[in-house]
Amino acid sequence: MSDETGPQETPAAGSTGPRPEPLRFFGTTWVTHDKGYTPRRIAAALGSLVAAVASCLVLRFAYEGLQIADTGSLVTVLVVAMFAICSALAFRHTWDGFSERPDPDRQASLRGLLAIGFVGSLLAYFFRSLTEAPGEKLHREEYEAALEQHKKRSTRRTGNPSKKRRRG
């Protein structure tokens, strides 16, 4: 799928207005919900759900490997608890990332946890895709604020204020 990166609302001729930031898998279709936005949302939701199910099957094979290796119940409980806790934390972190920009330092420090809890991230992406493009709300707020700020900066006064007639 190609991402459209052009503006959806064309600024006035000759001006350089803010441009919407493209979202992964959606480009800038999230601005006006056109050019296949709905099928992309459906595909993103189904794709993340299929990936989560496939990931759970892989984890099931890993669990069966632990059973075959006869590592003991303590190791099995620790591994299952690790994946469950990391998935829950990854879900929450990914979900929060859709409404506010994550701190890059914190993101780097959580990279390992997010890798272990990838099922949680996939599920967060699935659930958010049911209502909007993941990250759309955050990007829409930022884009509308940038449009408003650009509008305030670009409006010009007409005439020379010092020559303005005073009402008597």
Side-chain angles (χ1 to χ4, degrees):
M1 290 182 189
S2 64
D3 289 343
E4 295 84 15
T5 56
Q8 297 296 316
E9 294 180 23
T10 308
S15 73
T16 56
R19 301 193 186 282
E21 185 177 342
L23 291 173
R24 179 181 291 152
F25 306 124
F26 294 93
T28 57
T29 61
W30 59 268
V31 176
T32 56
H33 295 185
D34 62 351
K35 298 180 184 175
Y37 172 81
T38 302
R40 288 180 190 209
R41 257 192 46 213
I42 293 168
L46 288 176
S48 60
L49 183 62
V50 167
V53 169
S55 300
C56 288
L57 288 175
V58 170
L59 290 177
R60 165 106 181 162
F61 292 139
Y63 176 79
E64 288 177 0
L66 288 173
Q67 294 299 319
I68 291 170
D70 196 29
T71 56
S73 61
L74 177 64
V75 173
T76 303
V77 168
L78 288 175
V79 169
V80 169
M82 175 194 62
F83 275 106
I85 292 169
C86 289
S87 290
L89 292 172
F91 179 92
R92 180 62 184 201
H93 180 76
T94 304
W95 190 265
D96 289 344
F98 294 140
S99 57
E100 60 187 37
R101 295 265 180 194
D103 178 32
D105 294 332
R106 184 170 186 259
Q107 185 83 6
S109 69
L110 292 176
R111 187 172 294 137
L113 180 130
L114 294 175
I116 294 169
F118 60 97
V119 174
S121 293
L122 289 170
L123 289 175
Y125 203 85
F126 166 72
F127 287 119
R128 183 57 77 145
S129 294
L130 295 176
T131 58
E132 68 175 8
E136 178 181 345
K137 180 181 176 187
L138 172 67
H139 285 74
R140 185 171 304 285
E141 288 171 357
E142 291 174 351
Y143 179 59
E144 287 175 356
L147 280 176
E148 187 65 31
Q149 188 177 28
H150 175 72
K151 186 177 173 183
K152 286 180 182 178
R153 282 193 317 245
S154 63
T155 53
R156 306 205 189 290
R157 291 184 289 192
T158 57
N160 186 346
S162 66
K163 293 183 178 179
K164 191 173 185 180
R165 287 188 190 179
R166 307 233 173 180
R167 292 184 184 173

